[in-house]
């Protein structure tokens, strides 16, 4: 299964500030009543972006200056709460291809990586400086370099971190693990034969 | 140096090392429900794959089930489509399904233990973050995304990185009126909502030794609210006594062998931990949340924070939380008016929760203007409550006694907050919009505190309202 190698993500950025932004906020539970992920892009941050009557609230994702952004700048512990993959799916389907944050909740991080969407961690100061530059010039081109673990914009650059396993998976085009897992072949049957199983008796 | 249970289970379940350095980990038991599985079955189909070990996956329906009537088709066409899709998938792949007509349906994290499917030393995965609940049995149990649900269906394995292990000791005696829910809310308050990132939590100490299985489940359930993907308690006689005789537990000679194996899995006395945290049981008070994440909690006798007294870097977050909750800086949390009382969820929807509340609720009435809802975690719990006269106590008090499901914990079924209603809730998350209204407000607390809020119409100290502690003589 040949997958795209995610070495760099280049695009415009938008800052969605705040810490501990949970997956209920990213995709409210009523949008989970679906049997496919299609169309979830519309649900992204819905209750933060729209009032009950559908009117727009002030939110970076409603700001026309940041329309078309593909890199999201976030705070600490982004994506905490529920394991719903609907959240990274909604972010991806809304056009995002990378996130830069202070830290990410684990399940969210894994779900995003398996979608080919890197979540790289950076210092608060670096993120804030980049956010200020983007606010000043929304057309600013930002590069998330997954291979060199750095973010570049204008004449600036800062280092980011990413667990080695995720970095390897992304740059080698193995971010969807299914092919690797299937390769275990008979090892799976052997493991099943020796490991406990709940059986009605 | 000895090993922790986590390390022992990890090593015995490692199938091989993957090219990116992660471990391919075998998953003994896979639990699925209607919300996070349909896309996984779709992906499986697209790849032309089958379910590799269908006998290792168990299904139930919990998130979207209405709790007032199970008549089908459900009034909500989306919910109806989801249950039909799940039935189609389990039938096609030969997966055991605890459907609404089985008499055993319920919240996935209530029925796994109830049926004896959850066992010590197992790796357990489910497309639901509260899978950490099953760690109460000394299982390594964690939530996964839908792509990973596909991975488990197709291979019974996951690509995982090993976690660090933090031992959390709670030693001493809990004060009267302090419950397992208070213990975990306190732990999250102390360690923070992201304090557990990268860790598995191992809970121990005299408080856990003395806890029942259901109390251990309440604590493990909310590990994820502290950022820890899994949390566990070492298996002991309490664990074995709970499991013995349950439908899926081993029987006869096999049971004896299993118990010996389980005993050897517990963390060694000289196990190495990446971190150790000690908490004094006496420092834990009946705890309630005042904010918009489970770490924003305080003792019932406390005041909510005044952002002006905090460092500038923390103020915006505190102000956002207080604004959403419509609380004044520094106001006492006790006395805040309550519109809804919700008793249920995978955190506190088990038989012991309803028994404990019924002791105090008998002869009391829900305050005028409060909508109080009791939702058993499973059909088995619901039947037990009927048989023991507990359901009647709730009904007489003015609670709506409902059918089993997740209900207002996350409001994917018709049970929702309306507008800015404030809910005293025994559930696990107080996130903005969590209970179905974007402006709705959630205050997390123990089941007995929910009952105290229901009968007084305000956030209250159950020790005062019911004399909790005097009765139980703790």
């Amino acid at each position: 299964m040949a997958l795209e190698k995610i070495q760099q993500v280049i695009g415009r950025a938008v800052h969605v500030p705040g810490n501990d932004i949970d997956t209920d906020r990213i995709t409210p539970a009523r949008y989970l009543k679906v049997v496919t992920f299609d169309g979830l892009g519309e649900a992204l941050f819905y209750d933060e972006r729209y009032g009950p009557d559908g009117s727009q609230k002030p939110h970076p994702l409603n700001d026309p200056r940041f329309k078309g952004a593909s890199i999201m700048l976030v705070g600490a512990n982004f994506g905490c709460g529920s394991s719903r993959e609907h959240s990274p799916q909604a972010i991806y389907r809304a056009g995002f291809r990378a996130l830069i944050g202070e830290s990410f909740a684990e399940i969210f991080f894994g779900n995003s990586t398996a979608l080919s969407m890197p979540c790289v961690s950076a210092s608060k100061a670096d993120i804030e400086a980049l956010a200020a530059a983007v606010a000043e010039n929304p057309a600013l081109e930002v590069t998330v370099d997954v291979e060199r673990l750095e973010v570049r914009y204008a004449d600036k650059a800062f280092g980011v971190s990413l667990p080695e396993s995720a970095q390897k998976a992304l740059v080698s085009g193995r971010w969807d693990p299914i092919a690797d897992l299937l390769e275990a072949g008979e090892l799976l049957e052997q493991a099943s034969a020796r490991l406990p199983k709940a059986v009605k008796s | 140096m000895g090993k922790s249970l986590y390390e022992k289970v990890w090593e015995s379940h490692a199938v091989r090392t993957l090219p990116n350095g992660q471990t391919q980990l075998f998953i003994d038991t896979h639990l699925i429900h209607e919300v996070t599985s349909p896309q996984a079955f779709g992906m499986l189909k697209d790849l032309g794959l089958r379910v590799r070990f269908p006998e290792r996956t168990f299904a139930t329906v919990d998130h979207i089930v209405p709790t007032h009537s199970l008549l089908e088709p459900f009034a909500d066409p989306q919910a109806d489509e989801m249950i039909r899709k799940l039935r189609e998938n389990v039938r096609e792949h030969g997966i055991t399904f605890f459907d609404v007509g089985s008499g055993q349906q319920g919240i996935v994290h209530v029925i796994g233990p109830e049926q004896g499917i959850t066992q010590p030393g197992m790796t357990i995965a489910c497309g639901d973050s509260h899978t950490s609940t099953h760690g109460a049995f000394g299982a390594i149990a964690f939530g996964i995304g839908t792509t990973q649900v596909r991975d488990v269906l197709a291979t019974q394995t996951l690509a995982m990185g090993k976690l660090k292990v933090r031992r959390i000791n709670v030693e001493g005696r809990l004060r009267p009126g302090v419950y397992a829910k208070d213990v975990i809310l306190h732990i999250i308050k102390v360690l923070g909502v992201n304090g557990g990132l990268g860790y598995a939590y191992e809970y121990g100490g005299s408080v856990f030794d003395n806890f029942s299985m259901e109390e251990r489940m309440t604590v493990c359930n909310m590990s994820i609210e502290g950022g820890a993907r899994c949390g566990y308690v070492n298996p002991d006689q309490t664990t074995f006594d709970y499991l013995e005789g349950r439908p899926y537990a081993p029987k006869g000679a096999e049971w004896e062998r299993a118990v010996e194996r389980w005993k050897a899995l517990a963390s060694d006395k000289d196990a190495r931990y990446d971190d150790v945290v000690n908490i004094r049981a006496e420092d834990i008070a009946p705890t309630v949340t005042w904010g918009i994440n489970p770490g924003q909690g305080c003792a019932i006798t406390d005041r909510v924070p005044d952002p002006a007294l905090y460092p500038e870097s923390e103020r915006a977050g505190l102000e956002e939380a207080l604004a959403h909750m419509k609380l004044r800086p520094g106001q006492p949390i006790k006395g805040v008016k309550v519109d809804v009382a919700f008793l249920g969820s995978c955190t506190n929807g088990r038989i012991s929760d309803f028994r404990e509340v019924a002791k105090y609720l008998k002869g009391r009435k829900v305050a005028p203007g409060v909508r109080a809802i009791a939702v058993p975690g499973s059909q088995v719990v619901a039947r037990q409550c009927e048989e023991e006269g507990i359901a009647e106590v709730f009904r007489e008090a003015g609670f709506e006694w409902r059918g089993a499901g997740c209900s207002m914990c996350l409001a994917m079924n018709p049970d929702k907050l309306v507008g800015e209603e404030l809910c005293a809730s025994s559930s696990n998350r107080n996130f903005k919009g969590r209970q179905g209204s974007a402006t709705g407000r959630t205050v997390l607390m123990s089941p007995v505190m929910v009952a105290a809020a229901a009968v007084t119409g305000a956030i209250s100290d159950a020790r005062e309202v019911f004399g909790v502690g005097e009765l139980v003589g703790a």
Side-chain angles (χ1 to χ4, degrees), chain A residues 22 24-25 33 81-83 85 106-107 111 165 176 180-181 185 188-189 192 194-197 200-201, chain B residues 12 16 20 24 52 55-56 76 78 128 145-147 150 157 198 247-249 251 320 429 431 434:
Chain A
D22 56 78
D24 276 271
R25 264 201 262 179
K33 289 194 289 179
S82 148
S83 64
E85 187 169 312
E106 253 161 57
I107 306 179
N111 289 342
S165 55
D176 182 337
D180 287 333
L181 295 176
L188 301 176
E189 274 68 27
S192 183
R194 70 182 161 82
L195 289 166
K197 187 188 300 187
K200 196 166 186 176
S201 50
Chain B
S12 62
R16 63 182 196 133
N20 70 352
Q24 181 165 6
R52 189 87 168 227
E55 74 281 12
R56 289 186 179 272
D76 177 349
Q78 288 176 303
D128 191 289
T146 294
T147 299
R150 174 208 64 185
T157 60
Y248 285 81
K251 307 279 174 347
E320 182 193 8
R429 289 189 174 134
F431 298 151
R434 172 74 179 180

Side-chain angles (χ1 to χ4, degrees), chain B residues 242-325:
Chain B
Y242 176 97
L243 276 175
E244 192 168 11
R246 295 199 178 252
Y248 285 81
K251 307 279 174 347
E254 251 186 82
W255 168 259
E256 302 300 328
R257 278 197 298 276
V259 170
E260 285 317 302
R261 196 166 49 79
W262 295 340
K263 281 180 180 167
L265 282 171
S267 293
D268 297 329
K269 289 262 181 289
D270 59 345
R272 191 195 64 85
Y273 296 101
D274 299 284
D275 190 31
V276 178
V277 172
N278 293 301
I279 289 173
R280 274 168 26 103
E282 292 76 11
D283 291 343
I284 306 174
T287 302
V288 295
T289 58
W290 51 264
I292 53 173
N293 73 52
Q296 292 175 323
C298 64
I300 180 65
T301 49
D302 274 355
R303 292 167 178 272
V304 308
D306 180 348
L309 304 176
Y310 284 76
E312 195 171 344
S313 61
E314 292 175 37
R315 271 179 223 161
L318 296 172
E319 279 162 3
E320 182 193 8
L322 292 178
H324 179 83
M325 294 304 292

Side-chain angles (χ1 to χ4, degrees), chain B residues 70-86:
Chain B
L70 288 173
L71 268 187
E72 294 187 44
F74 296 156
D76 177 349
Q78 288 176 303
D80 198 64
E81 186 186 2
M82 293 177 85
I83 192 170
R84 280 188 290 111
K85 199 77 197 167
L86 183 59

Side-chain angles (χ1 to χ4, degrees), chain A residues 79-154:
Chain A
C80 62
S82 148
S83 64
R84 61 187 70 161
E85 187 169 312
H86 306 66
S87 292
Q89 288 276 358
I91 294 172
Y92 188 89
R93 282 158 200 267
F96 291 92
R97 293 296 177 267
L99 285 84
I100 306 171
E102 287 172 57
S103 62
F104 297 89
E106 253 161 57
I107 306 179
F108 177 89
F109 177 90
N111 289 342
S112 299
T113 308
L115 282 181
S116 75
M117 187 165 69
C119 296
V120 298
S121 297
S123 73
K124 188 180 165 76
D126 284 336
I127 294 170
E128 281 175 359
L130 172 55
V134 169
E136 182 93 353
N137 174 19
L140 185 70
E141 185 181 278
V142 178
T143 300
V144 178
D145 191 328
V146 181
E147 215 158 12
R148 294 175 57 181
L149 292 181
E150 106 184 338
V151 167
R152 294 185 293 275
Y153 62 100

